[in-house]
Amino acid sequence: MELRQLRYFLAVAEHLHFTEAAAHLGIAQPPLSQQILKLEREIGTALFVRHPRRVELTEAGHLLRDSARRILDDAQQALVEAQNAGRGETGRLSLGFAGSTVFHPAVASTMQQFRQTYERVAISCEESNSVALLEKVSARQIDAALVRMPLNCGELAVEPLVDEAMLAVLPGGHRLSRRRRIDLADLAGDPLIIFPRAIGPNLYDSIISACHAAGFTPSISMESPQISSAANLVSAGFGVAVVPASMRQVQVEGVSHHELKGKPLATGIALVHRQRERSPAVLNFVRILRQQRAAMRRA
């Protein structure tokens, strides 16, 4: 039994006339009659009582009509669901976030646009440090991750989202707290709070290298568990810190943020995913991210 035969059968069952059913289907009447006869032979019983000008359903025909409608409806629904999944309009997407990335407006706008466009995709989120997230993407434990750059991503594909400057964070009452812009060299005598190198070795090294270029070797007083927690330690009086500009979004009392003069010290946020990715949901997220990046560049 073929779905085509069921469609032909339903057309005849609804019109109760072979010629009218054939016209509705857009086929000639003889092939329609042949398919109905073939179906009846396969089932082993008549589905219609033939009269000179019309037909009527047998008891078996009535039963098959109801079942055929359900079968064709289910087949159509299965087709639509498969098409939606193939376009990434349904399904699941597991995303990782480096803790410091969630404060940047570009990340929020990308997530919002994706959810609005693909509202039937279930998103699961996981927060960790950038290095751990790279390992999870490579091991297929998550689909993709938004990480803090610079970062050695190995063989993973990298989609940059946004770049941002690094700012100095000073405690209240610091001698430089009234200046909008300061030289990194002005912080040579201050203890530095920085995140552990293991969670972002490239960014860590770029901060230390910038200090060396400014003429001093920083005295590291304490390591913050995450980039996002550095301002809290500054507020507690443990030293000064250098953080991404979006960390201003974290409202911490007793600290001030300052632009750095001279050669820019910058970081970035990027999406990493596996090369030759086939997941429609991941590819759609990449497309939305590219649209957001282009929109920011035009602004």
Side-chain angles (χ1 to χ4, degrees), residues 293-299:
R293 182 177 66 213
M296 287 185 293
R297 288 176 176 175
R298 291 193 299 268

Side-chain angles (χ1 to χ4, degrees), residues 23-281:
H24 173 76
L25 293 168
I27 63 175
Q29 187 269 329
L32 174 61
S33 298
Q34 292 170 7
Q35 287 298 320
I36 297 300
L37 287 171
K38 181 179 178 181
L39 181 60
E40 289 176 320
R41 286 195 296 268
E42 184 176 345
I43 295 173
T45 189
L47 300 172
F48 297 99
V49 177
R50 275 80 167 172
H51 299 290
R53 293 178 180 269
R54 65 182 179 85
V55 298
E56 63 178 293
L57 287 164
T58 63
E59 183 177 352
H62 280 288
L63 291 173
L64 182 60
R65 180 188 60 187
D66 296 337
S67 296
R69 285 172 176 166
R70 290 194 298 270
I71 291 170
L72 291 176
D73 286 344
D74 289 345
Q76 180 61 31
Q77 181 62 28
L79 175 64
V80 170
E81 290 177 357
Q83 290 173 333
N84 289 341
R87 292 191 293 263
E89 296 175 2
T90 59
R92 304 186 65 84
L93 177 66
S94 56
L95 278 177
F97 294 85
S100 64
T101 65
V102 297
F103 299 102
H104 199 287
V107 172
S109 62
T110 300
M111 291 297 299
Q112 182 182 40
Q113 184 59 48
F114 182 83
R115 289 186 63 85
Q116 289 176 349
T117 307
Y118 302 101
E119 58 185 15
R120 296 176 62 192
V121 174
I123 303 175
S124 60
C125 299
E126 177 177 333
E127 183 177 332
S128 188
N129 64 71
S130 294
V131 173
L133 291 173
L134 291 184
E135 295 174 355
K136 287 179 176 291
V137 174
S138 296
R140 298 184 176 274
Q141 295 174 357
I142 57 177
D143 295 318
L146 286 157
V147 297
R148 177 65 66 181
M149 305 299 285
L151 191 65
N152 181 8
C153 298
E155 296 182 358
L156 294 176
V158 180
E159 284 288 339
L161 174 59
V162 65
D163 292 322
E164 58 179 323
M166 301 287 282
L167 303 178
V169 186
L170 307 180
H174 191 277
R175 66 188 184 280
L176 303 174
S177 60
R178 293 184 178 276
R179 298 184 187 179
R180 184 176 66 85
R181 302 176 70 232
I182 63 175
D183 283 312
L184 189 59
D186 293 334
L187 302 179
D190 291 280
L192 179 67
I193 300 166
I194 193 168
F195 53 89
R197 187 178 184 278
I199 71 173
N202 299 81
L203 182 56
Y204 180 103
D205 290 346
S206 69
I207 294 173
I208 300 301
S209 295
C211 293
H212 291 162
F216 71 100
T217 297
S219 173
I220 298 175
S221 63
M222 181 174 290
E223 290 186 339
S224 60
Q226 295 283 349
I227 297 174
S228 55
S229 59
N232 291 309
L233 295 175
V234 173
S235 177
F238 288 102
V240 300
V242 178
V243 301
S246 56
M247 290 295 97
R248 280 176 165 167
Q249 303 287 336
V250 183
Q251 299 297 319
V252 178
E253 294 185 5
V255 302
S256 55
H257 295 83
H258 306 265
E259 297 176 11
L260 293 170
K261 298 178 182 178
K263 184 179 179 180
L265 181 57
T267 180
I269 298 172
L271 180 78
V272 294
H273 62 88
R274 292 178 288 275
Q275 295 277 8
R276 296 178 292 280
E277 181 60 67
R278 294 183 178 181
S279 164

